[in-house]
Amino acid sequence: MHFVVLFVAALLCEISCNIPVGSLPLALVKEGASESQTAIAMGSGMFAALLVSMPLGMLTDRVGKLPVLRVAAFGSVLVMLLMGFTHGIIAGCFQMALRSAALCGYMTAQFAYASTMFSKERAVSAVGAMGILGNVAFAAGPAFGVWLWQHGIHREQYVYACVLNLIAALMVCTLPSKFDIKAKKKPRVKVIMRKVWLPALVFIACCTMQGGVNGALAVLTFQGRGIANGALIFSASALTTVCFRYPAGRLVEKFGARAIAVPTAIVQLIGCLLAAQAHQPLVVILAGCCLGMAWSSVVPVGMAILFENSSHSTRGTAMGSYNLSMGGGAAIGSIIAVIVTAMGMGYTQAILICALAPCFALIYLFTGPRKKERKTTTMLKAQESLYQ
């Protein structure tokens, strides 16, 4: 029952917080921002996630998962209200930064809390289920935001959306503290990140770069190409991720994380190439499907390596590292977006750069530090129990 409460609260909060990803670029352009300025504003959120992910992960281990979860939930309410009543490019930068900080704190604490609600054998499945939920929210939120904008509901949509955040925050307050497991000894400050995590984190970051470029430029680019809903690529990607996450996890279990990373990089390469030249909705959908298939494998690849080398006492830090890699990749992607637009180029050149990044990251994934990789029957049983 408590997991259901956590699950529903996460769905409401994440759908609401993802609405601005689709509609805020349209709002900023209407208020006079250029394409480059809009990319900076959208990228501000990605930089914020990069800066706060590790501190929030460590904070979760120190003060507890529930306090961070509750503060982040109520913080998201305030952020959505701020988006509804403040305007302009500078306000947009602060809005997206605060939104990312609140969402990053929420997801870090939520994942860590979910992993302690079940046995070790089911921890990966629990976190994986929450990750799938995030994809559903990302499929719905941005496209819904664009749809509302096209039907005349502009900044006020954020005020309406904050009601979902408030409901989620109140639901979070009902969660029991018995699952908020803390280490008997506080982690030493000098232990920030384990070396064996780095190859997985670099690979995740390189695969997330396309998310930074798409978040900054996709809506305006595809709308300029005559596609009605520029957030279509987000919906296609996220829904495909939901469909392929479980099969991807099973493949990771059977063949190993590093082996599955190779076709993952290839599929993402194809997705980026399609997105670069997409001028019809069908091609945008195909590009999103390829990116979604790739992302469905990126998460279990990263989680398999991180979970093999973390315990309950460092789980928050591990999830913080995971969010750091995603935030870092998205931030790099947003930098690329800003640079190419400032140079007079655009989305096509930026997404082509992202097509190659995971291929280069494979080199470090195979040659970087690691423990002896083994096929984990634990993860297999966990996912089987989730889908039975």
Side-chain angles (χ1 to χ4, degrees):
M1 181 60 186
H2 297 306
F3 185 74
V4 174
V5 172
L6 183 67
F7 193 89
V8 174
L11 178 63
L12 296 177
C13 184
E14 292 181 33
I15 285 179
S16 176
C17 287
N18 277 307
I19 285 175
V21 175
S23 58
L24 189 62
L26 302 176
L28 293 175
V29 169
K30 181 182 179 182
E31 293 162 5
S34 65
E35 185 180 38
S36 181
Q37 290 173 329
T38 302
I40 292 173
M42 301 305 291
S44 296
M46 302 166 198
F47 277 103
L50 173 64
L51 294 176
V52 305
S53 56
M54 279 300 295
L56 285 173
M58 297 174 69
L59 184 67
T60 300
D61 286 334
R62 287 180 175 273
V63 305
K65 303 164 184 63
L66 276 180
V68 174
L69 187 60
R70 289 166 179 167
V71 170
F74 282 104
S76 67
V77 177
L78 298 178
V79 171
M80 297 303 291
L81 286 173
L82 185 67
M83 284 188 173
F85 292 106
T86 58
H87 306 266
I89 185 65
I90 296 178
C93 291
F94 282 105
Q95 291 163 4
M96 290 304 292
L98 292 173
R99 167 202 167 271
S100 288
L103 192 57
C104 186
Y106 189 96
M107 293 178 66
T108 298
Q110 159 197 296
F111 286 160
Y113 185 84
S115 71
T116 59
M117 296 179 74
F118 300 92
S119 64
K120 185 177 181 180
E121 289 74 19
R122 297 185 63 192
V124 172
S125 289
V127 176
M130 302 305 293
I132 291 174
L133 180 63
N135 293 126
V136 173
F138 195 65
F144 186 52
V146 172
W147 183 85
L148 289 173
W149 183 274
Q150 292 172 340
H151 287 77
I153 305 174
H154 295 167
R155 287 273 184 176
E156 59 270 25
Q157 67 180 255
Y158 307 133
V159 180
Y160 302 149
C162 82
V163 176
L164 300 180
N165 297 84
L166 181 59
I167 295 173
L170 295 175
M171 294 179 69
V172 164
C173 290
T174 68
L175 294 173
S177 59
K178 66 179 181 179
F179 298 116
D180 195 358
I181 300 174
K182 300 178 184 178
K184 295 181 179 179
K185 295 182 180 179
K186 290 185 178 181
R188 292 176 294 177
V189 176
K190 68 177 182 179
V191 180
I192 298 177
M193 184 182 295
R194 292 181 175 175
K195 186 168 63 174
V196 291
W197 296 347
L198 292 177
L201 299 180
V202 170
F203 183 71
I204 292 170
C206 288
C207 290
T208 314
M209 285 170 54
Q210 58 84 17
V213 170
N214 280 321
L217 298 176
V219 172
L220 296 179
T221 297
F222 292 131
Q223 181 174 276
R225 293 177 181 179
I227 296 169
N229 195 321
L232 188 61
I233 192 170
F234 299 134
S235 299
S237 175
L239 290 175
T240 305
T241 300
V242 173
C243 295
F244 283 88
R245 174 64 55 78
Y246 178 66
R250 294 297 296 269
L251 289 173
V252 169
E253 295 160 1
K254 184 174 182 179
F255 298 105
R258 289 169 177 81
I260 299 303
V262 177
T264 298
I266 294 173
V267 173
Q268 174 147 325
L269 172 67
I270 296 171
C272 290
L273 292 177
L274 287 171
Q277 301 300 324
H279 286 79
Q280 295 82 32
L282 179 59
V283 182
V284 174
I285 291 173
L286 290 175
C289 288
C290 288
L291 294 176
M293 289 179 64
W295 187 248
S296 69
S297 299
V298 171
V299 175
V301 165
M303 283 175 53
I305 297 175
L306 291 176
F307 274 41
E308 283 179 0
N309 301 286
S310 64
S311 62
H312 282 308
S313 63
T314 58
R315 190 61 53 79
T317 304
M319 294 313 303
S321 299
Y322 172 84
N323 287 328
L324 175 68
S325 65
M326 290 200 300
I332 293 171
S334 68
I335 291 174
I336 293 172
V338 172
I339 291 174
V340 297
T341 53
M343 293 174 63
M345 295 182 286
Y347 176 79
T348 299
Q349 291 75 21
I351 203 68
L352 288 176
I353 295 173
C354 299
L356 299 175
C359 299
F360 289 107
L362 285 175
I363 299 173
Y364 184 49
L365 191 67
F366 279 93
T367 61
R370 57 171 165 168
K371 290 185 177 181
K372 185 177 180 180
E373 189 172 351
R374 62 183 184 277
K375 298 175 184 178
T376 56
T377 57
T378 297
M379 188 174 175
L380 177 62
K381 292 178 181 178
Q383 293 210 12
E384 286 179 344
S385 65
L386 177 65
Y387 288 90
Q388 285 177 350

